[in-house]
Amino acid sequence: MDYQQMKSIIEGLLFVAGDEGLDKKQLADVLESDVHFVTELVDELTEDLRRTGRGVQITRVAGAYQMTTVPEHAPYFERLAYSPSRSSLSQAALETLSIVAYKQPITRVEIEEIRGVKSERALHTLMAKELIIETGRAEAIGRPILYGTSKPFLEYFGLSSIQELPESPSFVGDFDLEEETKLLFDKLDGDNTDQLTFEDLGNEENTLVADENDTALLPAPDDDDPFTSS
């Protein structure tokens, strides 16, 4: 094994180790090498990353080496973490999110009755992104899960409380899925007028597309019926 290859392996090992990191003895054991030699390799790799202006660096915390990002890039990481792109949500997820936001607490079955299609995958996506949470169990057969919006949801949409959601004339009585989704979509857009419009959601050229597993629950819907359009 040559010198450069060993440094490459160390880089990969530290990446895989994540926040726990690896100390010099652990690295030496994996590489079946001398501790002092491995320490020299880590020092050289640290300098290589710095000299070439890489986006990651090696830091030492509590005796362990960790692969971390460079501090000067922190504003971009915060932007990624706290301002999720609309394009990361499918039309199905946006529709499901709007239903949960305006009708919470609500069960999966109730969501599917409104959308007219299965919504399990969309719910999983929203749960993974921490935009919705389980708020309890319904007093019904099987005690189905009730879903509601989360604190990150309020942060993402710049709301202090759920009461600040855009008012909707269809909130009372029949639920206009397209209208509710448009209201939520516009709120996510904010003042970015150069972003996609709600009508662009169905465009095959955009990244906002319906989930492949969005399976219809009902017979072919009337084109004018907002409750069964997907």
Side-chain angles (χ1 to χ4, degrees), residues 14-122:
L14 294 179
F15 176 82
V16 171
D19 293 339
E20 293 184 3
L22 295 170
D23 61 31
K24 57 186 178 183
K25 186 178 185 307
Q26 289 173 309
L27 288 170
D29 289 343
V30 173
L31 291 169
E32 298 180 337
S33 183
D34 178 76
V35 170
H36 296 293
F37 179 60
V38 166
T39 302
E40 291 179 4
L41 289 174
V42 173
D43 290 342
E44 286 197 18
L45 178 58
T46 301
E47 177 58 25
D48 290 345
L49 295 173
R50 187 201 63 77
R51 186 181 66 256
T52 56
R54 296 281 295 279
V56 292
Q57 63 181 355
I58 295 175
T59 57
R60 191 172 183 181
V61 180
Y65 296 108
Q66 295 180 5
M67 185 71 71
T68 65
T69 56
V70 293
E72 52 265 36
H73 295 170
Y76 300 97
F77 305 141
E78 291 177 2
R79 191 180 305 170
L80 174 65
Y82 297 109
S83 300
S85 170
R86 180 193 61 247
S87 63
S88 65
L89 291 177
S90 67
Q91 180 177 355
L94 279 171
E95 290 179 356
T96 302
L97 182 58
S98 68
I99 293 170
V100 173
Y102 282 98
K103 292 292 190 178
Q104 60 185 304
I106 188 170
T107 67
R108 177 176 59 83
V109 171
E110 291 171 328
I111 294 170
E112 291 174 345
E113 286 177 351
I114 294 173
R115 292 195 64 227
V117 295
K118 289 185 178 296
S119 301
E120 187 173 2
R121 180 174 176 180

Side-chain angles (χ1 to χ4, degrees), residues 134-189:
E134 296 181 8
T135 60
R137 296 274 179 170
E139 296 294 336
I141 297 175
R143 302 273 294 169
I145 295 170
L146 289 168
Y147 295 97
T149 51
S150 63
K151 182 180 178 181
F153 168 86
L154 297 176
E155 294 172 349
Y156 291 157
F157 286 89
L159 305 172
S160 60
S161 71
I162 201 67
Q163 283 70 38
E164 290 189 2
L165 276 172
E167 291 186 9
S168 166
S170 59
F171 182 79
V172 179
D174 293 340
F175 188 89
D176 187 331
L177 178 57
E178 181 171 337
E179 177 64 20
E180 306 310 327
T181 307
K182 184 179 187 301
L183 284 170
L184 200 59
F185 190 92
D186 289 345
K187 184 68 177 178
L188 180 59
D189 267 351

